[in-house]
Structure formats: C-alpha cells, structure tokens
C-alpha cells in the first residue's frame, strides 16, 4: 500500500515534467471566446496540465519552395540558414519541393498564408511559376538562385517588382560580362555559347543578351544548343560541329562560354576534351574548382553570394518591416572571378594580371587552392 501511494505521488510530481504539449484546441476549462479572440496573434499548445500561448510573431516562419534537387540549391539553403542564424536566430525554416501542378501550388500558397510569414523560391522554375500564380498576394516572396527577373519577364525594371516579390539575380548585365571577357582576350572575335535547349532561363537571360551585346561590338556568337533527346544535338555532336566551325574562322581569338545549364555544368570534363584547346569560361563561379570538372575561368555571381543577399532581403522584410516592392533587384557587381591555372597550363592560355588581381578564387597548377573567397591560402605571390 505504501509503495502504491509513493508511486502515485511520484506520478503526480513527474508527469508535468515529462509531458510534452501538442497542438490542440483550448480545453473545456477555458472559454471558447478566448480561443477566438487570441487565434490571430497567438498559437496554443496544450496537454492535460496546462496551455501554452506562444506569440505568432515571436518565431518568424520561413517557407522555402525548391525547384528540384541540385547542389547549387543545397549551397543556397546552407548559406541562408547561416545568415538567419546570425541575423534572426529565432526564425524557423520549412522546405518543400515545388508541387507538380498549378492547382497543387495554389493549395500550397493557401496553406502558407495560414502558417508562414515569408516564402523563398529557390531556382528560376519555382520563381517563375510562383510569380505567375501568386504575384500581388499577401505573403512576401524572395527569389534565390534564380536568373534575371527582368529578362524572365517578371518585372519591367530593376528598381521594384511593384508587388509582393523581392528579386535577386544570378546574372550580370551582358555588357559587364562582355567587358570582362575582353579583359581575358582583348582581340576576341567569336564566342561559342553553350546552353541546354530545355533550359529556357539560360537561353533567355544568358545566351540572347550576350549575343546582342557581342554583335554590337562586331563579335560573332556561335550557338552550342544541346538537346540530348535528339541524336544530332547531343553534346558530343554539337561540340564537334560547332568547334570545327569556330576553328575555320579564328580559333586563337575565340572562347567558349558555358551558361548556367545544370545538365552541362555536370559535364565540364567532357566539354574540355571536346573544346580542342579553345578556352572554356563560364558564368558559374562554382564551376571553377580543384577537380577535373573545372572550367578555366568564371565571371559571374556565386551561389553563396546570391543566397547571402537573398537572406538579408528576407531579414529586412521580417525584422525591419521593409516591403518587398521597396527592394531593388539584387544584382551583384563586381562579379566573382575564379581561375584554374591547371586548365590554363593544359591549353597554354595566358591569364592577364588584372584578372588574377581581381579573382576571389585561384587554383594552382597542382589543383590546390591558393586563394579562396579573396583570402590567400598558400604560396601566392603578393
């Protein structure tokens, strides 16, 4: 009997310590009017002993819509989480894969409106689709790892979206890109631009603007349009055909320019082998690294820097009350430049000193990093 009594006492004392609250309606011993009057500003969790009232705005809720699986999107998410941990440490993130249909996306936005305070769209596909279905609605939306919103037709200027979207861009203006390409090869006469046919955003925001700008300066642009669903448009066939065309003109004053087409970024080693010594440059800084899968040089916006800017946009919206329409399109300049001297040696390419000075990342002929994020690692000549 004493043992049973002792156990009963212990259960009363310990139960409140080990019981975890679960989301539920306010219990019967509190009034229904209280639930109605508090539901907008407070969340409630309850168990048998007590009810918690938690301010809804105390923990900003960020929902993230990811276009698909991609290493660049993982990089973006990791960067944003680090920025938020430092700038707004009480925010919570919930990440979703982009729903397959418009109806499913609309249902997702309705749920987001009742649960979230901010939406991030990761990738051009998610950004375009959500903009088509949700522009002008209630929740603020920030794009990350997406291409130029003006060139994608999402806004008509770089000063404002004029709605609930705040945009960042992975693109540099075409004139700035070309200026840096001319620093690499001042007598440049032709550019072979590689893009995947299915990557509409790369075509619209990287190939067409560069072609227009290059033609104004008398530089020929050769399209390397890859479509692996067609045998005569495979990477190998396109490279062999178009490289041959470029060699007939002026191979010594030519470069290849790789857009942000993910399917091609995964095949850089193959592209280098098929390039016949023509230097491979790219818009994607992460495509220059210490592996065989490396371009010679990049001039562009890194996934990390773009995501860092997008994260700060989100913090300003949530913490400081800034409206998305008051934030200009986030275009980063000067660009991130990365150089791989192993690739330069392989094709006997000379890298102008001005670009070496400006580079944030340098890789030695042995593959080791000698500068990373602008910081000297080892052995760099000052």
């Amino acid at each position: 009997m004493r043992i049973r009594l002792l156990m009963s006492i212990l259960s009363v004392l310990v139960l409140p310590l080990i019981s975890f609250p679960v989301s539920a309606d306010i219990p019967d011993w509190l009034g229904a009017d209280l639930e109605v009057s508090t539901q907008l500003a407070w969340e409630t969790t309850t168990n048998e002993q007590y009810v918690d009232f938690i301010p809804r705005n105390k923990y900003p809720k960020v929902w993230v819509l990811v276009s698909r699986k991609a290493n660049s999107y993982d990089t973006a998410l990791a960067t944003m989480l680090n920025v938020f941990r430092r700038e707004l440490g009480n925010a919570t993130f919930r990440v979703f894969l982009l729903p397959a249909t418009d109806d499913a996306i609309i249902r997702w936005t309705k749920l987001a409106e009742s649960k979230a305070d901010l939406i991030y769209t990761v990738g051009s596909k998610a950004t375009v689709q959500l903009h088509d279905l949700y522009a002008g609605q209630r929740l603020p939306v920030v794009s990350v790892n997406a291409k130029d919103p003006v060139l994608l037709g999402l806004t008509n200027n770089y000063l404002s979206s004029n709605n609930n979207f705040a945009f960042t861009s992975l693109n540099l203006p075409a004139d700035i890109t070309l200026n840096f390409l001319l620093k690499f090869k001042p007598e440049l006469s032709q550019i072979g631009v590689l893009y995947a046919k299915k990557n509409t955003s790369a075509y619209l925001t990287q190939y067409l603007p560069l072609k227009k700008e290059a033609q104004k300066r008398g530089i020929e642009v050769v399209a390397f349009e890859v479509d692996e669903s067609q045998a005569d448009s495979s990477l190998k066939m396109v490279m062999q055909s178009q490289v041959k065309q470029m060699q007939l003109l002026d191979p010594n004053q030519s470069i290849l320019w790789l857009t942000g087409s993910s399917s091609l970024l995964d095949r850089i080693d193959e592209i280098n082998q098929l390039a016949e010594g023509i230097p491979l440059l790219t818009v994607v800084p992460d495509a220059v690294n210490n592996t065989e899968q490396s371009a010679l040089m990049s001039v562009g916006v890194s996934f990390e820097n773009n995501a860092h800017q997008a994260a700060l946009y989100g913090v300003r919206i949530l913490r400081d009350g800034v409206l998305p329409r008051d934030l200009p399109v986030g275009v980063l300049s000067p660009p991130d430049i990365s150089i791989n001297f192993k690739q330069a040696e392989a094709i006997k390419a000379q890298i102008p000193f001005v670009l070496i000075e400006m580079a944030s990342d340098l890789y030695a002929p042995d593959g080791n990093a000698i500068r990373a994020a602008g910081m000297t690692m080892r052995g760099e000549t000052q």
Side-chain angles (χ1 to χ4, degrees):
M1 183 65 69
R2 289 181 178 178
I3 293 176
R4 289 181 182 176
L5 179 59
L6 179 59
M7 292 299 293
S8 296
I9 294 171
L10 286 174
S11 67
V12 172
L13 293 174
V14 173
L15 187 58
L17 299 178
I18 64 174
S19 297
F20 295 96
V22 295
S23 295
D25 295 333
I26 289 179
D28 293 340
W29 47 268
L30 287 175
D33 290 344
L34 180 63
E35 181 174 8
V36 174
S37 63
T38 60
Q39 63 183 354
L40 291 178
W42 298 83
E43 291 183 359
T44 58
T45 57
T46 183
N47 60 23
E48 295 178 357
Q49 285 77 41
Y50 57 85
V51 179
D52 281 336
F53 288 86
I54 303 170
R56 288 186 182 274
N57 61 359
K58 182 178 180 181
Y59 303 101
K61 298 177 180 63
V62 179
W63 279 24
V64 183
L65 201 56
V66 177
S67 297
R68 56 181 172 78
K69 180 179 181 180
N71 289 336
S72 59
Y73 300 162
D74 293 344
T75 298
L77 284 169
T79 301
M80 289 194 298
L81 289 171
N82 285 335
V83 173
F84 267 83
R85 183 177 60 182
R86 182 180 69 247
E87 301 290 339
L88 198 63
N90 60 344
T92 64
F93 275 67
R94 181 172 291 179
V95 183
F96 299 81
L97 181 64
L98 179 69
T101 66
D102 285 355
D103 286 344
I105 294 173
I106 291 172
R107 289 194 298 271
W108 183 89
T109 61
K110 298 301 183 185
L111 185 62
E113 286 189 341
S114 65
K115 300 289 186 181
D117 301 295
L118 172 72
I119 296 173
Y120 276 106
T121 54
V122 185
S124 298
K125 182 178 180 180
T127 300
V128 170
Q129 288 192 235
L130 194 66
H131 184 270
D132 289 346
L133 299 169
Y134 198 69
Q137 301 302 310
R138 185 174 69 82
L139 283 180
V141 182
V142 180
S143 71
V144 61
N145 271 210
K147 298 184 177 71
D148 190 307
V150 175
L151 298 176
L152 289 174
L154 305 182
T155 181
N156 58 12
N157 66 81
Y158 291 94
L159 299 178
S160 172
S161 66
N162 296 308
N163 56 38
N164 59 316
F165 276 68
F167 295 110
T168 64
S169 175
L170 280 175
N171 295 88
L172 292 173
D175 58 336
I176 293 177
T177 297
L178 190 55
N179 286 340
F180 278 91
L181 298 184
L182 288 168
K183 290 181 187 296
F184 172 70
K185 199 171 280 290
E187 302 300 321
L188 182 65
S189 62
Q190 58 180 344
I191 306 171
V193 183
L194 287 85
Y195 62 92
K197 183 176 182 179
K198 65 179 182 180
N199 194 317
T200 304
S201 62
Y203 176 80
L204 291 176
T205 70
Q206 294 174 343
Y207 170 69
L208 288 181
L210 185 61
K211 179 181 179 181
K212 181 179 179 180
E213 187 66 28
Q215 288 178 337
K216 287 195 301 186
R217 307 194 196 190
I219 300 171
E220 183 71 21
V221 172
V222 180
F224 284 61
E225 184 177 88
V226 178
D227 182 2
E228 291 296 343
S229 67
Q230 304 295 322
D232 59 351
S233 297
S234 67
L235 177 62
K236 183 176 181 180
M237 294 297 292
V238 169
M239 287 290 297
Q240 290 176 339
S241 171
Q242 301 300 72
V243 166
K244 183 177 180 179
Q245 176 184 333
M246 294 180 73
Q247 288 177 325
L248 291 175
L249 297 175
D250 192 355
N252 293 325
Q253 299 302 330
S254 303
I255 65 168
L256 296 177
W257 180 247
L258 177 58
T259 65
S261 299
S262 299
S263 59
L264 300 181
L265 291 168
D266 292 335
R267 303 174 69 181
I268 288 179
D269 188 37
E270 187 177 352
I271 293 171
N272 279 328
Q273 293 176 23
L274 294 167
E276 300 290 340
I278 298 177
L280 176 64
L281 285 72
T282 179
V283 68
V284 181
D286 299 65
V288 177
N289 50 61
N290 62 349
T291 73
E292 295 298 325
Q293 285 283 107
S294 176
L296 166 64
M297 189 174 79
S298 69
V299 179
V301 177
S302 71
F303 300 132
E304 292 92 340
N305 285 343
N306 171 261
H308 188 273
Q309 184 180 43
L312 292 178
Y313 271 16
V315 169
R316 292 181 65 187
I317 291 168
L318 291 173
R319 186 186 64 196
D320 304 329
V322 175
L323 296 175
R325 64 169 57 90
D326 292 334
L327 293 168
V329 174
V331 180
L332 295 175
S333 187
D336 297 306
I337 296 175
S338 301
I339 300 170
N340 185 310
F341 287 105
K342 182 176 183 179
Q343 296 295 337
E345 281 195 354
I347 62 172
K348 297 179 173 57
Q350 297 294 317
I351 308 296
F353 184 70
V354 63
L355 293 174
I356 297 174
E357 277 192 314
M358 296 179 68
S360 55
D361 296 275
L362 295 173
Y363 297 91
D366 62 4
N368 290 317
I370 53 178
R371 191 188 300 167
M375 302 295 292
T376 300
M377 304 298 289
R378 67 166 184 84
E380 181 185 345
T381 301
Q382 299 299 319

